[in-house]
Amino acid sequence: MEFLNLKSTVPLPEEDSTLLSPQIDCPKFVIPNVSNPVEFLAKYTAPGSKYALDIHHGTTTLAFKFKHGVIVAVDSRATGGNYIASQSVKKIIEINPYLLGTMAGGAADCSYWERELGRRCRLYELRNKERISVAAASKLLANMVYAYKGMGLSMGTMVTGWDKKGPGLFYVDSDGTRLTNHLFSVGSGATYAYGILDAGYRHDLSVEEAIDLGRRAIYHATHRDAYSGGVVNLYHVKENGWEVISQDDVTELYYKYTAEPRPPLV
Amino acid sequence: MSYDRALTVFSPDGHLFQVEYALEAVRKGTCAVGVRGKDVCVLGVEKKSVLKLQDPRTIRKIAMLDDHVCMAAAGLTADARVLIDKARVECQSHRLNVEDAVSIEYITRHIATIQQKYTQRGGVRPFGISTLIIGFDSDKVPKLYQTDPSGIYAAWKANAVGRSSKTVREFLEQNYKDDMSRDDSIKLTIKSLLEVVQTGAKNIEIAVMDINGIKFLESSEVEAVTAIIEAENAAEAEKKAKKGPSASS
């Protein structure tokens, strides 16, 4: 019988890591078949190199936890150098109905990896019959991109949602950093947003006050940062999932805010 | 043609004989019992008689997988050791990747999946053990699960594996009550083990897990409960003897 001569090409359970540890079944990209891919790629990915890809970087995104959940606000401008490539980029990525991710850095990197995160989160739900926690989701994303550390990924994202432990907010970037806090702002306009956020933030803000604070913070960042602009997209994460709140053009916000009396700060 | 040599060959009537022979090996192992109470789970194992020159402290049949999960196995003890270690590693990996402790169902599923993998590959044999896994999840409800060499797993209120497990399970079916207290759960575990462990308390090891953690009962405590059981049995026997002579209408 011929088939008896075939060698088993199926690896033992020990060798086949994907079988035993479904948690780490990542897609694997083809990376240079050299002993040190990071060193090899450094020529192309190091900043200032003439081969470096011109990734659209400028942005302002923010998110903060408060009594009634999480407010996530982002701008919508994409720039390549001094060129405004788009004023209508969606920088909030809907991972699933109760998890949101923000986009800062490379748009392709953010949207690809956050969609991949959505796939992994769904698998988790099916296997464990319960929603994945925000901590676990952010950890999955951080571990996924850590495998490509040094190879030129550019991603600074916030993963946020509401799980068993309440509202969750994590900052994850392509260096492998993963942090949690009640307030984050990411992007070239982050410093301007922090100024407004830190002055106006309180845990017991009402929903309207929190929405207004998030919107104002992005507006002020777009006013001063050349690389941020377009519209302010604002989402509110609640116990039963996220909700789209508003989309406001920043030039219209400028006229609106200058016409109103200034709100009290600090 | 004999269908029991190779693991990866079905027999014409749908049996995987190697897996069934593994279950036979389990039936030869020392008995282990698990009981789920209202807010405790209890594991009891039969300890083989200690040979004179052997150090009894080195034979631990109930293993901690994590702070909140515990397991006992019946069958090939060496296979149990390997599976326990894999489970311990997975408990920590899970904590690392998900920032949370494993749920009892998760770790049971993991162990069962490993056991199943070893039934579907050439060059390996199935693990010759059935396991009983107890613990508490974040929902604070006690859990008891059982796995076997085929990779099947299920949740149980009370179960037994190993030698005379059928007898013990029948005893448990007759005497189990929902929502038993800690003391009643321990008593039922010991009582069911005494059905098969002739030599008594010194060959029984009991572990009790509640929401705060695990406690291994001292042999004196086991003996105390055994004494109560024996006293109750004696009283029962006496009552029956008194009833016996007078014919019941």
Side-chain angles (χ1 to χ4, degrees), chain A residues 11-147:
Chain A
L12 272 179
E14 315 306 306
E15 295 141 35
D16 194 349
S17 60
T18 55
L19 284 180
L20 268 188
S21 337
Q23 301 293 80
I24 53 167
D25 48 348
C26 283
K28 286 183 173 37
F29 285 108
V30 175
I31 52 179
N33 190 10
V34 292
S35 54
N36 194 340
V38 175
E39 203 181 285
F40 178 85
L41 287 170
K43 202 168 34 161
Y44 310 98
T45 60
S49 123
K50 70 173 176 181
Y51 305 105
L53 294 167
D54 201 4
I55 303 174
H56 303 323
H57 258 109
T59 196
T60 312
T61 61
L62 66 84
F64 59 88
K65 285 196 279 196
F66 71 116
K67 192 168 166 192
H68 302 286
V70 190
I71 295 293
V72 188
V74 299
D75 78 313
S76 67
R77 178 176 288 187
T79 51
N82 294 327
Y83 172 69
I84 297 179
S86 168
Q87 290 272 68
S88 52
V89 178
K90 302 223 71 144
K91 298 191 189 177
I92 293 187
I93 294 152
E94 297 161 5
I95 297 167
N96 64 40
Y98 58 95
L99 277 180
L100 286 177
T102 61
M103 181 197 294
D109 289 338
C110 289
S111 66
Y112 178 86
W113 286 108
E114 288 182 22
R115 290 194 67 199
E116 173 57 26
L117 177 64
R119 179 184 82 89
R120 297 283 308 278
C121 288
R122 179 61 182 148
L123 275 175
Y124 180 98
E125 253 178 49
L126 287 168
R127 284 171 178 152
N128 297 288
K129 296 179 210 150
E130 65 171 15
R131 283 187 188 168
I132 192 169
S133 67
V134 186
S138 59
K139 196 111 191 206
L140 285 177
L141 182 64
N143 290 338
M144 277 193 266
V145 296
Y146 183 76

Side-chain angles (χ1 to χ4, degrees), chain A residues 223-240:
Chain A
H223 186 60
R224 286 294 175 181
D225 179 29
Y227 301 106
S228 301
V231 299
V232 181
N233 279 310
L234 206 145
Y235 283 54
H236 177 199
V237 183
K238 298 193 283 228
E239 190 163 0
N240 48 3

Side-chain angles (χ1 to χ4, degrees), chain B residues 44-206:
Chain B
V45 295
E46 176 195 349
K47 271 198 307 210
K48 271 204 314 245
S49 294
V50 178
L51 305 163
K52 270 206 187 125
L53 294 171
Q54 210 173 46
D55 187 343
R57 286 169 302 167
T58 58
I59 313 166
R60 264 267 113 102
K61 313 254 357 230
I62 301 179
M64 303 269 326
L65 300 182
D66 201 342
D67 296 328
H68 63 299
V69 199
C70 193
M71 87 172 228
L76 276 55
T77 321
D79 287 4
R81 203 175 57 230
V82 169
L83 261 188
I84 286 169
D85 194 66
K86 285 185 205 278
R88 284 173 173 161
V89 170
E90 180 59 25
C91 284
Q92 297 312 308
S93 288
H94 187 276
R95 278 185 188 271
L96 186 61
N97 291 326
V98 178
E99 288 199 341
D100 217 349
V102 291
S103 67
I104 312 304
E105 198 265 338
Y106 176 90
I107 195 66
T108 306
R109 188 167 16 114
H110 181 84
I111 292 171
T113 308
I114 296 175
Q115 288 185 287
Q116 189 280 338
K117 268 190 204 29
Y118 280 73
T119 68
Q120 206 172 16
R121 190 170 302 289
V124 297
R125 63 161 175 83
F127 286 93
I129 57 164
S130 289
T131 71
L132 286 172
I133 298 160
I134 60 166
F136 282 80
D137 292 335
S138 52
D139 61 4
K140 303 199 183 8
V141 175
K143 307 250 173 11
L144 167 67
Y145 283 86
Q146 188 230 8
T147 74
D148 70 15
S150 63
I152 298 174
Y153 75 94
W156 290 76
K157 295 180 181 175
N159 201 359
V161 290
R163 202 153 53 193
S164 311
S165 57
K166 197 154 172 290
T167 318
V168 178
R169 203 172 308 121
E170 275 162 13
F171 180 86
L172 286 170
E173 276 172 24
Q174 280 160 9
N175 293 281
Y176 182 85
K177 287 190 266 300
D178 284 322
D179 293 334
M180 283 188 291
S181 70
R182 184 194 182 92
D183 288 333
D184 284 341
S185 308
I186 296 172
K187 201 158 106 181
L188 179 63
T189 312
I190 296 179
K191 214 168 164 184
S192 56
L193 267 175
L194 284 172
E195 295 276 305
V196 295
V197 179
Q198 264 66 49
T199 43
K202 60 180 176 5
N203 282 69
I204 291 178
E205 196 181 311
I206 301 285

